[in-house]
Amino acid sequence: MRLLTDPGDIVLDCFLGSGTTAIACIREDRKYIGIEIEDHYVQLAHELIVAETSAKDAQRVFDANQEEQDGVAALKHAAGGEEQGACL
């Protein structure tokens, strides 16, 4: 990460898993976008990110992304699709 990004850059992890890239971004002063389809891993990543950052800041980010996902789910539902996954 240090070789290819600078502090403040945004890192996209389209397979978030347990959130190790997000945690590395927090530690290295990068912003991150994590995408995960499996609810189990979304919750695991959330727990690890909360442990890495202050609970207040992590919860604020998670809540904002959940609101966005709810909006996406509503649009998918209106279009006849199904909601899956989440974005952290």
Side-chain angles (χ1 to χ4, degrees), residues 21-42:
T21 299
I23 291 169
C25 287
I26 293 165
R27 292 179 180 173
E28 298 298 325
D29 192 30
R30 273 68 169 172
K31 297 176 175 107
Y32 63 91
I33 299 171
I35 301 168
E36 180 55 58
I37 195 168
E38 296 292 331
D39 289 335
H40 168 75
Y41 286 109
V42 171

Side-chain angles (χ1 to χ4, degrees), residues 7 16 18 27 41 51-52 60 67 72 80 82 88:
L16 183 65
S18 63
R27 292 179 180 173
Y41 286 109
E52 187 66 30
R60 178 185 51 78
E67 287 176 13
V72 170
E82 293 184 21
L88 292 177

Side-chain angles (χ1 to χ4, degrees), residues 46-68:
H46 175 66
E47 291 170 13
L48 294 173
I49 290 167
V50 167
E52 187 66 30
T53 61
S54 73
K56 180 179 177 183
D57 288 342
Q59 188 64 48
R60 178 185 51 78
V61 170
F62 187 80
D63 290 345
N65 283 323
Q66 191 61 48
E67 287 176 13
E68 182 179 336

